[in-house]
Amino acid sequence: MVLFGLAMTGLVAWLIFGGVAGKERGLSFENQTSQVMILKFGDGRVTTFQPHAQQTLPVKPGQFPQTFTVTDASGKTLYEQTFAFPDLKHYAFQMGIDAHQFLLYRGITSPGTY
């Protein structure tokens, strides 16, 4: 048990002081509609969201500013918006996908409040 504790302490120290931690964040998206929505990142990543589904996608500060485009299942562009990485902090790294716009979560309130 002591060996396990030492190994975990070493791993945590390596992550913190080795520069690995904090270079990537999870950006959570939730499809607020009852239809399939497709999210396209400016860097080429594409993620399909089933109705009312939620996914967390990794993002790094160096990937921004970046434009997010939302399309319907047929590929028709519904809207797009460009974000800088600091903007994501203001939205608590959470965004809702609606049929007409991103629903941007602000502050720490009850879950699901946009």
Side-chain angles (χ1 to χ4, degrees):
M1 192 59 119
V2 173
L3 239 59
F4 177 74
L6 288 173
M8 292 309 296
T9 301
L11 176 62
V12 170
W14 174 73
L15 288 172
I16 292 172
F17 300 112
V20 175
K23 302 233 188 235
E24 186 172 277
R25 287 290 308 256
L27 180 54
S28 180
F29 292 93
E30 184 176 357
N31 181 356
Q32 298 286 315
T33 72
S34 58
Q35 59 186 344
V36 172
M37 302 295 266
I38 300 169
L39 174 67
K40 297 179 180 182
F41 280 62
D43 64 12
R45 290 185 284 170
V46 177
T47 302
T48 301
F49 290 86
Q50 296 301 318
H52 307 290
Q54 183 174 359
Q55 285 189 20
T56 301
L57 305 173
V59 294
K60 298 177 184 176
Q63 297 171 314
F64 289 83
Q66 187 159 174
T67 301
F68 299 161
T69 303
V70 175
T71 69
D72 61 16
S74 72
K76 176 185 171 195
T77 297
L78 302 175
Y79 57 91
E80 63 183 24
Q81 188 170 344
T82 301
F83 293 95
F85 194 80
D87 295 338
L88 304 177
K89 181 179 179 183
H90 297 296
Y91 308 134
F93 288 88
Q94 297 181 21
M95 292 186 182
I97 298 173
D98 190 290
H100 307 287
Q101 65 184 357
F102 286 105
L103 303 173
L104 304 172
Y105 182 91
R106 291 197 182 263
I108 300 174
T109 59
S110 61
T113 302
Y114 292 95

